[in-house]
Amino acid sequence: MAGPSRVGSRSAAGLLQGGLPRDIDVDTWAPVDQAALRPEHRERFLRRKRAIQMYLEGASAAEIRLHTGESRSNIYRLIVNRCLLPHPDGNLHGWRGALPFLRVQGYNRHTRPRIGEGGTGASGALQWLFASSEGRLLESRFREQILKKPTGLEGQRKSRQSLFRWFITELRTLGYERRGEWPFNVEKLGSVTINKFIDRVLAQNPRRQLLLLGGEDARRKAIAGDGTNRPELLLFDRVECDAHKLDGRMVVAVPSPHGGYEMRKIHRLYVIVLLEVASRVALSAHLSLRREVGADDVLRAVKKALSPWSPRQLQFSDTAYNEDSGMPSSLGPEFVGACWGEFSVDGALANVCKLILPLL
């Protein structure tokens, strides 16, 4: 009689029936937000989850079928071909592999595309193209174009349309249109697939992506340390000032001295906040209704931080303030007018204009 079969270096004694390792720990699998699923998908996912747990506990095919309605062979396929596959985030798919209708592997094309009427037969054309020796060279050149720093009239940002035109021109030069190996007979010429590839290349190079899409300012602002060697600050050693734009558009009815109301459009809302760095406590907040934050807005926020705080008289709610609401200046006179050693700002012009710097 033949001895026990082996899978790699594992003996059959260390495997469940079907070749699965015994040390599968579902507690370490990536979880799924069940509440976010549609009811019918949630029900199917929970049945699959229960069936997987029963399978790994050694339940028989009849028991799995009785309690979940799933076949044992299908659950084995889910575990091997979906749950145990690596995810792009570096972990296993885990419970995500049991989600209904979730694609865990991309489409793999193994034959030369033959584009028919309306672009039929073009699935996986880009993947097949880049798998050939000629296509690998084209992919390398296309990546260089995507990550290349714009020059001349292109400015700081590179247009996706220019990248798309470059790629289509190269395909025509290489004869893909003549051979019918790319969907040139459709209106978009495969632009959706090409744009997805551009996004993937940029996502693989986040620093370059920031530079190309946001310019040098965006790249500099994204530079962050590892959290070590931070200065040990005492209370009020440093204060941060920043403006936060609220996504809102509205019209406000302003009482008119001539009677009635005048309708004023509010284009943007900004909240200018002063934050004490050591304690992370907000010292003040000022609401600006301008199109852009101005020097007066920053100075008003500074004035509020140095003045006693008191709750506003509100008409729209009796519970807008919590019981212990308030800024630090409301805690006692020693916090009123408490100034700071450093005033930290971002790259906004309002914070560093000539009107503010002499006053600070």
Side-chain angles (χ1 to χ4, degrees), residues 15-324:
L15 300 174
L16 291 169
Q17 183 177 356
L20 292 178
R22 289 186 179 276
D23 56 358
I24 295 178
D25 185 4
V26 295
D27 292 335
T28 63
W29 283 7
V32 168
D33 184 4
Q34 302 173 11
L37 301 177
R38 295 168 57 181
E40 59 272 20
H41 292 174
R42 180 167 58 249
E43 180 184 356
R44 187 173 181 184
F45 167 76
L46 292 176
R47 283 193 283 107
R48 286 181 171 184
K49 182 176 181 179
R50 176 58 181 153
I52 291 173
Q53 292 171 333
M54 293 181 65
Y55 184 100
L56 297 177
E57 292 169 358
S60 65
E63 291 174 329
I64 295 176
R65 175 75 71 175
L66 175 64
H67 293 284
T68 66
E70 299 284 345
S71 67
R72 201 169 191 274
S73 60
N74 184 54
I75 296 306
Y76 173 81
R77 180 188 63 82
L78 284 176
I79 298 174
V80 174
N81 296 338
R82 295 173 65 87
C83 298
L84 294 183
L85 283 183
H87 191 274
D89 64 6
N91 301 312
L92 298 177
H93 269 82
W95 292 118
R96 294 172 290 191
L99 287 171
F101 309 109
L102 174 69
R103 183 185 293 273
V104 298
Q105 288 182 314
Y107 175 79
N108 292 320
R109 188 180 190 97
H110 302 288
T111 59
R112 182 184 298 271
R114 287 291 181 264
I115 312 302
E117 292 291 334
T120 59
S123 298
L126 185 66
Q127 178 202 64
W128 176 86
L129 189 156
F130 287 161
S132 64
S133 57
E134 182 182 62
R136 284 193 293 269
L137 179 59
L138 176 61
E139 179 185 6
S140 176
R141 293 170 55 210
F142 191 32
R143 286 178 178 270
E144 290 179 2
Q145 287 292 322
I146 296 172
L147 300 176
K148 182 180 177 181
K149 184 177 180 180
T151 57
L153 298 177
E154 292 179 319
Q156 289 187 338
R157 303 183 182 183
K158 177 160 291 190
S159 166
R160 285 177 177 268
Q161 190 64 25
S162 64
L163 293 172
F164 171 74
R165 287 197 300 267
W166 182 93
F167 187 74
I168 291 297
T169 301
E170 291 297 313
L171 290 181
R172 285 196 169 106
T173 303
L174 295 173
Y176 286 90
E177 182 178 19
R178 183 180 66 257
R179 297 192 298 268
E181 296 174 352
W182 188 262
F184 283 95
N185 57 346
V186 298
E187 181 180 358
K188 293 186 177 181
L189 303 179
S191 61
V192 174
T193 300
I194 296 174
N195 280 322
K196 287 182 179 179
F197 178 77
I198 294 174
D199 291 336
R200 187 162 65 250
V201 172
L202 292 176
Q204 295 169 354
N205 300 268
R207 293 185 180 179
R208 196 65 177 168
Q209 180 182 24
L210 280 172
L211 180 62
L212 295 175
L213 300 182
E216 183 63 26
D217 288 342
R219 187 195 67 82
R220 285 200 306 265
K221 290 181 179 180
I223 297 176
D226 58 3
T228 61
N229 300 322
R230 290 183 176 181
E232 296 183 2
L233 299 174
L234 299 177
L235 199 63
F236 287 96
D237 274 352
R238 180 183 297 172
V239 167
E240 293 178 350
C241 176
D242 200 2
H244 305 272
K245 186 177 74 171
L246 306 180
D247 292 328
R249 301 290 184 273
M250 63 195 70
V251 174
V252 178
V254 180
S256 171
H258 306 290
Y261 294 89
E262 295 182 2
M263 309 307 291
R264 298 294 179 89
K265 182 186 295 184
I266 306 299
H267 297 274
R268 295 179 181 175
L269 289 174
Y270 288 94
V271 178
I272 298 93
V273 179
L274 264 64
L275 197 69
E276 202 284 314
V277 175
S279 62
R280 309 306 298 174
V281 170
L283 301 180
S284 69
H286 173 70
L287 183 65
S288 172
L289 306 182
R290 305 184 182 193
R291 289 179 181 265
E292 297 294 341
V293 175
D296 290 342
D297 298 315
V298 178
L299 291 176
R300 289 177 186 276
V302 172
K303 180 180 179 181
K304 289 182 178 180
L306 301 175
S307 305
W309 180 88
S310 60
R312 292 175 177 268
Q313 297 294 326
L314 303 179
Q315 300 177 353
F316 61 87
S317 174
D318 296 330
T319 59
Y321 287 111
N322 292 329
E323 184 177 353
D324 298 326

